[in-house]
């Protein structure tokens, strides 16, 4: 395609948004402007936004996310970097199976149709993406490589199978995540959830616990709150293993081990409690039907911490006693409690109700004693007592025998020392992090590439037989996992003995798919998971961009994956993402009709007085607060409609201009209309001035007048400021500086050839600065200005340092410390000139009267102080 734009302003006086944006998108595509190839001679820059789930249509959160990434990608390309900016689809998952059941179509049909729609919408945005690297995690070319990684992890003992407790939906016959259990029932079936022990596949993330935690300190380009969230999730706890001897029930001589971070509070203990799934609980339940019933009731709670925290604290008295580790005559009752999780610590606790609210709620219910052992700094030990609220602050120990009067840290150390001395326990570090369960009982996921043989056990599928493909002739007419009741897919011969065997019918957690896609982008068509030369060149991702909602699991799993892939020889990487940016949500006003039904923004019309009415009925509409856009509240705006009406550049500009990108922003009609007006204003500003500009390539004039010099200073200061703002992700400030420069240009009259040269320079710099934000407009303006090549091929402008410094300075003049005047002098003027100018000021002479100065102190470029 030829690129032709005349300099004559008579050719085009109106900016045609749709035609221009379509034209430039086609040119970029035809010329492969954004295709990336490894080039060791050039510095690389890998910018990546978290890839989307193909739900059907992009939303404004996508627009903001990918606009931010595109600004960085275009800017870094202009700075000379070899930029990789790819796109793909996180395409497996339960929503596709739900759609298949609801619409009677195959999940693949629904998924690929959505991908096609969303790809077209993203391409309308003019993103500088390397579409040749596009991938979808549901494509067998991707999940075949994931299966190979799984086999490598299995061989390295990073993948293993064991029994674990899960939430089981007895109607849908599937495992549910904690978030899918609503008040003890399945989110879709409504059935009471059962706790079951199933054989599940795990990835050994705990093999890297220390490294995952310690390495957070080096992620200095990550938000501090994300690092803190990961630190808390990993949950390093310094504490003690405490042994409580058991008494009664024929268990004398055995002991119960409890991990605690607060051994200092042992003298405040009033009970011990077991998880419903503790091995001792299971032993006791074999001969106690009432305990079995209690465990079954606990299992209906679900496993999420939130569900357990909200539930009423309940316990079952086993009738057994435990012996206090510091006093053989002190016995405590042993309960099974619904709030004790087997997954944390040792699955057993001791309860100190005075200093733990959960324990306090429990003992009030069962009328157990409460003994405070930590005295607040402002309290008196004589009358200090606990009422309805536990004391969890700092203080000194009381009622604690040999620990009395010690501070909490001193008491912790003292208690551990006594435990170790008496053989009743030891100091220990534990972590909250547990191995990652990756088994999912559903069809639309990556099949786990192992075979189960009665004689040979678990047999890995041979790599030459990969991929283990999902069957296409799948039915969703029965509850549960379609792979389980497929008539033939799971029936295979054992690769070892040749006998009858079965495929594993579990598929992988979709978090697995997104834990290594950034590495696959480096060589997306390779016959192996990664090509070392490619990943060694491109990784780590220099700038990763996405929502704070992925701060823990996705990022943590990705960090684990690079360590596992390093151990299996695929990478030599320490961390996947060198820099992380979490953008804020996009919000909009909410609306309800008189019946309380949510309304879409297009159903609402604002009146001149600010009130709102229904577009069709004219009935009053209640205006609610601004909230994050969501389909449930209908406060969503269709990006495709916005782009069709105003253009992609307008949408991009408004997304960047409204607020700092890490904060929430409000989408408003007035805001997008203002952005559209500015797009057209820029067009007219340059189009109307084309006949007043120096010809392209005109040599630099020998000198400039004052007005032209001021314009040049404003232009180069804008270059320096916008450059710094983009580097620091201050896009809204960069936008403001471009507004300022355009205003300065619009007020400039070119009176001579030097003025016309300065005006051309200013307009060219303005165009180059706005291009990362509004690339279509930038390219069109560049051609109108007579650019010989596309702007996407131009380097980033460099500010002239000499124009960033004023030639003159304003200095204060004081008489005996009181400001009397100001003087303008050449920068770095001699002190004698500053002194002379100061003494000549009439206000200074009046202040001095008839007196002669005793001293004149000059602080160069700042102040002159006359002492009389």
């Amino acid at each position: 395609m030829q690129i032709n734009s005349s300099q004559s302003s008579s050719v085009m006086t109106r900016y045609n948004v749709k035609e221009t944006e379509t034209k430039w998108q086609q040119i970029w595509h035809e010329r492969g402007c954004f295709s990336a190839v490894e080039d060791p001679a050039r510095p690389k820059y890998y910018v990546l936004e978290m890839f989307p789930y193909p739900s059907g249509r992009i939303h404004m959160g996508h627009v903001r996310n990918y606009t931010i990434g595109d600004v960085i990608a275009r800017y870094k390309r202009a700075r000379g970097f070899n930029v990789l900016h790819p796109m793909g689809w996180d395409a497996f998952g339960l929503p596709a199976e739900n759609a298949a059941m609801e619409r009677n179509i195959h999940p693949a049909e629904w998924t690929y149709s959505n991908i096609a729609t969303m790809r077209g919408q993203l391409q309308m945005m003019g993103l500088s993406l390397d579409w040749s690297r596009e991938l979808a995690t549901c494509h067998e070319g991707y999940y075949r490589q994931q299966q190979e990684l799984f086999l490598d992890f299995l061989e390295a003992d990073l993948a293993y199978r064991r029994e674990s407790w899960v939430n089981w939906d007895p109607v849908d016959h599937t495992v549910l995540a904690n978030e899918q259990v609503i008040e003890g029932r399945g989110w879709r079936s409504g059935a009471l959830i059962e706790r079951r022990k199933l054989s599940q596949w795990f990835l050994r993330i705990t093999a890297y616990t220390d490294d995952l935690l310690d390495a957070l300190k080096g992620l200095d380009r990550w938000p501090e709150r994300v690092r803190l969230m990961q630190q808390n999730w990993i949950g390093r706890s310094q504490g003690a293993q405490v042994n409580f001897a058991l008494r009664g029930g024929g268990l004398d001589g055995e002991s119960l081990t409890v991990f605690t971070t607060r051994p200092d509070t042992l003298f405040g203990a009033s009970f011990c409690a077991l998880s419903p799934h503790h091995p001792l609980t299971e032993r006791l339940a074999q001969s106690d039907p009432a305990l079995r019933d209690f465990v079954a009731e606990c299992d209906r709670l679900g496993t999420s911490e939130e569900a357990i925290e909200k539930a009423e604290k309940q316990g079952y008295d086993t009738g057994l006693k435990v012996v206090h580790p510091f006093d053989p005559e002190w016995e405590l009752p042993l309960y099974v409690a619904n709030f004790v999780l087997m997954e944390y610590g040792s699955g057993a606790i001791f309860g100190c109700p005075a200093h733990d609210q959960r324990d306090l709620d429990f003992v009030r219910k069962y009328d157990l004693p409460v003994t405070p052992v930590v005295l607040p700094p402002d309290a008196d030990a004589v009358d200090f007592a606990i009422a309805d609220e536990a004391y969890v602050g700092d203080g000194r120990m009381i009622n604690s025998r040999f620990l009395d009067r010690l501070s909490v840290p001193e008491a912790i150390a003292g208690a551990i020392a006594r435990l170790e001395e008496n053989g009743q326990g030891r100091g220990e570090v534990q972590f909250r992090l547990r191995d990652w369960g990756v088994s999912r009982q559903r069809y639309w996921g990556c099949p786990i590439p192992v075979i189960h043989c009665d004689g040979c056990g678990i047999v890995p599928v041979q790599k030459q037989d990969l991929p283990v493909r999902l069957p296409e002739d799948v039915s969703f007419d029965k509850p549960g996992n379609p792979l389980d009741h497929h008539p033939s897919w799971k029936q295979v011969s054992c690769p070892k003995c040749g006998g009858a065997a079965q495929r594993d019918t579990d598929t992988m957690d979709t978090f697995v798919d997104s834990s290594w896609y950034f590495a696959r982008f480096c060589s997306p068509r390779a016959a192996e998971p990664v090509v070392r030369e490619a990943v060694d060149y491109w990784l780590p991702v220099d700038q990763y961009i996405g929502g704070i909602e992925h701060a823990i699991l996705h990022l943590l799993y990705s960090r684990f994956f690079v360590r596992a892939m390093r151990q299996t020889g695929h990478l030599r990487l320490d961390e996947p993402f060198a820099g992380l940016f979490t953008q804020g949500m996009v919000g909009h006003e909410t609306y309800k009709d008189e019946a309380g039904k949510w309304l879409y923004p297009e159903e609402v019309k604002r009146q001149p007085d600010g009130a709102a009415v229904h577009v069709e009925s004219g009935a009053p509409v209640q205006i609610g607060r601004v909230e994050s856009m969501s389909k449930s509240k209908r406060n969503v705006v269709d990006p495709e409609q916005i782009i069709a009406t105003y253009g992609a550049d307008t949408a991009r500009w408004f997304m960047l201009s409204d607020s700092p990108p890490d904060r929430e922003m409000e989408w408003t009609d007035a805001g997008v209309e203002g952005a559209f007006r500015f797009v057209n204003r820029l067009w007219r500003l340059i189009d109307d001035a084309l006949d007043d500009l120096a010809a392209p390539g005109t040599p630099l004039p020998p000198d400039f007048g004052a007005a032209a010099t001021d314009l040049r200073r404003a232009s180069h200061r804008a270059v320096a400021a916008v450059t710094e703002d983009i580097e620091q992700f201050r896009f809204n400030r960069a936008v403001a500086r471009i507004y300022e420069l355009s205003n300065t240009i619009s007020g400039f009259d070119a009176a001579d050839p030097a003025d016309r040269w300065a005006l051309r320079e200013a307009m060219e710099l303005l165009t180059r600065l706005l291009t990362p934000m509004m690339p279509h407009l930038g390219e069109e303006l560049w051609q109108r200005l007579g650019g010989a090549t596309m702007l996407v091929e131009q380097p980033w402008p460099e500010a002239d340092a000499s124009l960033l410094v004023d030639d003159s300075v304003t200095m204060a003049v004081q008489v005996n410390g009181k400001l009397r005047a100001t003087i303008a002098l050449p920068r770095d003027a001699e002190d004698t000139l500053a002194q002379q100018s100061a003494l000549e000021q009439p206000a200074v002479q009046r202040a001095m009267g008839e007196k002669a100065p005793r001293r004149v102190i000059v602080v160069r470029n700042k102040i002159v102080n006359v002492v009389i």
Side-chain angles (χ1 to χ4, degrees):
M1 176 182 287
Q2 296 294 317
I3 306 172
N4 294 312
S5 290
S6 168
Q7 270 204 291
S8 172
S9 62
S10 63
V11 174
M12 185 187 294
T13 57
R14 181 178 176 276
Y15 181 52
N16 189 321
V17 173
K18 186 171 182 180
E19 179 181 300
T20 300
E21 293 189 347
T22 301
K23 176 182 75 173
W24 286 110
Q25 289 167 16
Q26 185 177 347
I27 293 172
W28 294 330
H29 172 70
E30 290 176 352
R31 299 195 178 185
C33 291
F34 309 121
S35 296
V37 179
E38 294 91 70
D39 182 358
R42 295 174 62 198
K44 67 91 181 179
Y45 196 89
Y46 186 175
V47 57
L48 181 65
E49 304 91 346
M50 295 179 185
F51 64 169
Y53 181 79
S55 57
R57 303 186 69 81
I58 66 171
H59 52 69
M60 281 301 175
H62 291 131
V63 174
R64 193 180 201 195
N65 188 32
Y66 299 121
T67 296
I68 291 170
D70 197 53
V71 170
I72 295 298
R74 288 178 177 274
Y75 167 76
K76 289 294 184 178
R77 184 174 285 108
R79 294 303 299 260
F81 288 89
N82 185 20
V83 173
L84 174 59
H85 187 204
M87 174 57 68
W89 310 95
D90 192 7
F92 273 138
L94 197 56
E97 287 197 27
N98 294 336
M101 286 185 278
E102 293 167 6
R103 298 169 175 80
N104 196 29
I105 59 174
H106 194 280
E109 180 183 345
W110 183 82
T111 301
Y112 283 110
S113 173
N114 289 348
I115 286 174
T117 299
M118 294 177 69
R119 181 194 300 117
Q121 293 175 319
L122 289 175
Q123 288 172 340
M124 289 174 63
M125 288 179 60
L127 303 172
S128 59
L129 293 165
D130 183 355
W131 284 103
S132 70
R133 294 174 183 256
E134 182 183 11
L135 57 80
T137 59
C138 65
H139 190 279
E140 67 179 53
Y142 185 88
Y143 72 71
R144 183 257 176 240
Q145 308 305 332
Q146 187 163 296
Q147 290 171 344
E148 181 170 331
L149 287 177
F150 184 90
L151 294 176
D152 290 340
F153 289 3
L154 186 61
E155 185 178 357
D157 194 33
L158 292 170
Y160 66 96
R161 188 173 172 88
R162 66 169 169 84
E163 284 193 330
S164 70
W165 289 95
V166 297
N167 300 314
W168 181 258
D169 187 316
V171 172
D172 280 350
H173 297 279
T174 186
V175 171
L176 298 183
N178 290 335
E179 294 74 21
Q180 295 170 319
V181 179
I182 311 299
E183 296 182 352
R185 295 180 179 270
W187 68 287
R188 187 169 60 190
S189 71
L192 284 172
I193 294 305
E194 301 172 0
R195 287 279 282 163
R196 282 195 181 181
K197 236 180 183 180
L198 289 182
S199 288
Q200 301 275 290
W201 285 99
F202 289 82
L203 295 181
R204 206 180 296 277
I205 190 172
T206 56
Y208 303 101
T209 305
D210 285 313
D211 186 26
L212 288 167
L213 184 61
D214 293 342
L216 288 171
K217 303 182 187 77
L219 297 176
D220 53 4
R221 290 181 51 226
W222 282 38
E224 179 58 33
R225 64 172 177 162
V226 174
R227 291 193 289 176
L228 181 60
M229 290 166 75
Q230 290 223 348
Q231 177 182 314
N232 292 339
W233 187 264
I234 295 169
R236 186 183 191 277
S237 298
Q238 179 77 49
Q241 291 277 15
V242 184
N243 298 322
F244 290 83
L246 291 165
R247 283 185 184 165
L251 298 177
D252 291 19
E254 297 188 38
S255 64
L256 173 69
T257 300
V258 170
F259 174 78
T260 177
T261 59
R262 295 295 304 274
D264 56 307
T265 63
L266 275 165
F267 285 106
S270 61
F271 69 95
C272 279
L274 304 170
S275 162
H277 302 115
H278 192 282
L280 180 55
T281 304
E282 295 176 353
R283 284 171 58 189
L284 296 173
Q286 291 174 3
S287 57
D288 188 342
L291 178 55
R292 286 200 298 273
D293 292 342
F294 178 77
V295 171
E297 181 66 27
C298 292
D299 287 347
R300 284 192 279 273
L301 264 183
T303 60
S304 73
E305 290 183 64
E306 181 183 11
I308 291 170
E309 188 63 31
K310 288 180 178 178
E312 182 185 0
K313 307 301 180 283
Q314 294 190 355
Y316 180 89
D317 190 346
T318 66
L320 301 177
K321 304 294 183 183
V322 297
V323 180
H324 196 284
F326 293 145
D327 185 345
E329 303 303 318
W330 184 356
E331 293 183 345
L332 303 171
L334 178 63
Y335 286 79
V336 176
N338 65 350
F339 59 87
V340 182
L341 296 176
M342 192 62 216
E343 290 80 8
Y344 300 114
S346 60
I349 67 163
F350 81 86
C352 177
H355 306 293
D356 184 289
Q357 190 63 43
R358 178 196 58 185
D359 296 345
L360 182 61
D361 295 342
F362 184 82
V363 302
R364 294 304 190 204
K365 181 179 179 69
Y366 294 103
D367 197 26
L368 298 174
V370 178
T371 303
V373 291
V374 179
L375 181 68
D378 57 350
D380 188 334
V382 174
D383 55 12
F384 178 63
I386 300 294
D388 296 327
E389 187 174 337
Y391 176 68
V392 296
D394 203 359
R396 295 270 169 186
M397 306 308 298
I398 57 172
N399 303 320
S400 296
R401 305 185 191 182
F402 65 90
L403 299 177
D404 278 348
R405 294 180 295 281
L406 296 178
S407 67
V408 169
E410 292 169 339
I412 290 174
I416 292 174
R418 183 66 63 93
L419 288 168
E420 292 179 342
E421 178 184 331
N422 294 343
Q424 294 293 106
R426 67 180 186 277
E428 187 171 290
V429 173
Q430 286 201 1
F431 294 90
R432 182 176 183 271
L433 184 66
R434 293 294 180 263
D435 280 340
W436 174 12
V438 296
S439 292
R440 297 294 180 269
Q441 290 71 35
R442 58 178 174 240
Y443 165 76
W444 195 235
C446 175
I448 293 175
V450 299
I451 292 169
H452 299 275
C453 174
D454 289 341
C456 305
I458 293 175
V459 182
V461 173
Q462 299 299 302
K463 288 185 179 179
Q464 63 266 25
D465 295 330
L466 297 178
V468 176
R469 292 184 176 88
L470 290 169
E472 294 186 9
D473 57 334
V474 65
S475 170
F476 294 91
D477 57 355
K478 297 179 183 177
N481 184 356
L483 295 177
D484 238 355
H485 51 70
H486 190 279
S488 60
W489 180 81
K490 66 181 179 180
Q491 309 300 332
V492 292
S493 298
C494 174
K496 277 190 176 180
C497 69
Q502 289 190 342
R503 295 190 187 281
D504 197 307
T505 58
D506 285 351
T507 53
M508 297 185 203
D509 179 8
T510 53
F511 272 118
V512 177
D513 310 343
S514 58
S515 292
W516 73 285
Y517 78 108
F518 50 88
R520 183 65 179 169
F521 271 137
C522 299
S523 49
R525 309 291 175 253
E528 60 268 32
V530 295
V531 174
R532 279 299 300 268
E533 293 81 1
V535 292
D536 287 350
Y537 177 77
W538 289 115
L539 292 179
V541 175
D542 296 281
Q543 188 62 63
Y544 199 37
I545 303 166
I548 191 69
E549 66 271 18
H550 299 295
I552 298 177
L553 294 183
H554 164 58
L555 293 173
L556 187 62
Y557 292 155
S558 298
R559 297 180 64 220
F560 157 71
F561 244 77
V562 298
R563 286 160 171 80
M565 291 175 73
R566 182 178 61 197
Q567 183 172 330
T568 53
H570 295 287
L571 301 172
R572 62 178 182 191
L573 196 64
D574 293 325
E575 289 288 342
F577 313 119
L580 173 68
F581 185 83
T582 54
Q583 87 279 0
M585 304 290 283
V586 181
H588 196 287
E589 283 182 335
T590 51
Y591 309 105
K592 284 184 178 179
D593 64 15
E594 292 177 298
K597 176 186 173 185
W598 297 107
L599 298 174
Y600 289 107
E602 58 265 27
E603 298 179 278
V604 178
K605 180 181 179 181
R606 297 298 290 263
Q607 303 287 76
D609 62 358
V613 297
H614 195 282
V615 170
E616 295 182 359
S617 68
V621 169
Q622 177 186 346
I623 303 173
R625 65 183 181 183
V626 175
E627 297 191 42
S628 296
M629 288 187 182
S630 69
K631 292 180 181 177
S632 63
K633 293 190 171 81
R634 296 193 172 187
N635 62 334
V636 294
V637 176
D638 182 5
E640 187 170 351
Q641 184 60 44
I642 294 294
I643 292 171
T645 304
Y646 298 103
D649 283 342
T650 296
R652 292 166 61 115
W653 185 256
F654 180 56
M655 280 293 177
L656 297 167
S657 64
D658 184 71
S659 60
D662 59 338
R663 298 182 191 170
E664 291 190 2
M665 67 161 291
E666 179 185 357
W667 181 273
T668 64
D669 292 341
V672 73
E673 288 165 3
F676 184 61
R677 286 194 298 271
F678 185 64
V679 168
N680 285 278
R681 180 186 162 206
L682 288 171
W683 170 259
R684 290 192 302 272
L685 176 66
I686 291 180
D687 190 65
D688 291 347
L690 290 177
D691 294 334
D692 296 328
L693 304 181
T698 300
L700 178 71
D703 53 61
F704 295 90
T709 299
D710 288 343
L711 177 62
R712 296 197 70 213
R713 289 191 191 283
S715 302
H716 284 264
R717 285 173 180 162
V719 170
V722 170
T723 300
E724 182 181 359
D725 288 337
I726 292 178
E727 289 280 0
Q728 300 298 322
F729 278 67
R730 299 191 299 250
F731 303 122
N732 58 314
R733 288 178 58 174
V735 163
R737 297 183 197 279
I738 290 172
Y739 274 120
E740 291 173 8
L741 179 57
S742 68
N743 289 336
T744 301
I745 293 172
S746 66
F748 182 79
D749 291 323
D752 57 38
D755 287 352
R756 288 191 285 274
W757 194 97
L759 183 59
R760 166 170 286 280
E761 179 191 44
M763 288 188 166
E764 288 185 353
L765 290 175
L766 173 67
T767 300
R768 293 164 74 182
L769 292 177
L770 65 84
T771 293
M773 295 90 157
M774 295 191 284
H776 311 88
L777 178 64
E779 290 283 10
E780 191 67 19
L781 291 177
W782 187 250
Q783 294 302 312
R784 297 285 284 155
L785 288 166
T789 63
M790 291 196 303
L791 192 49
V792 74
E793 299 169 351
Q794 289 291 311
W796 187 252
E798 297 288 341
D800 185 335
S802 67
L803 293 170
L804 303 181
V805 180
D806 281 331
D807 289 337
S808 63
V809 294
T810 299
M811 298 177 65
V813 181
Q814 295 179 341
V815 178
N816 285 347
K818 261 189 158 178
L819 179 66
R820 296 296 184 182
T822 59
I823 55 175
L825 294 175
R827 179 171 292 278
D828 296 325
E830 294 293 331
D831 291 356
T832 53
L833 177 59
Q835 177 177 330
Q836 178 183 344
S837 299
L839 294 175
E840 288 174 352
Q841 299 303 306
V844 173
Q845 292 177 356
R846 286 196 299 272
M848 292 172 57
E850 300 298 323
K851 298 179 181 178
R854 289 190 291 134
R855 256 192 321 161
V856 178
I857 303 166
V858 177
V859 180
R860 188 165 293 189
N861 298 324
K862 291 185 178 180
I863 191 170
V864 179
N865 191 13
V866 179
V867 181
I868 57 175

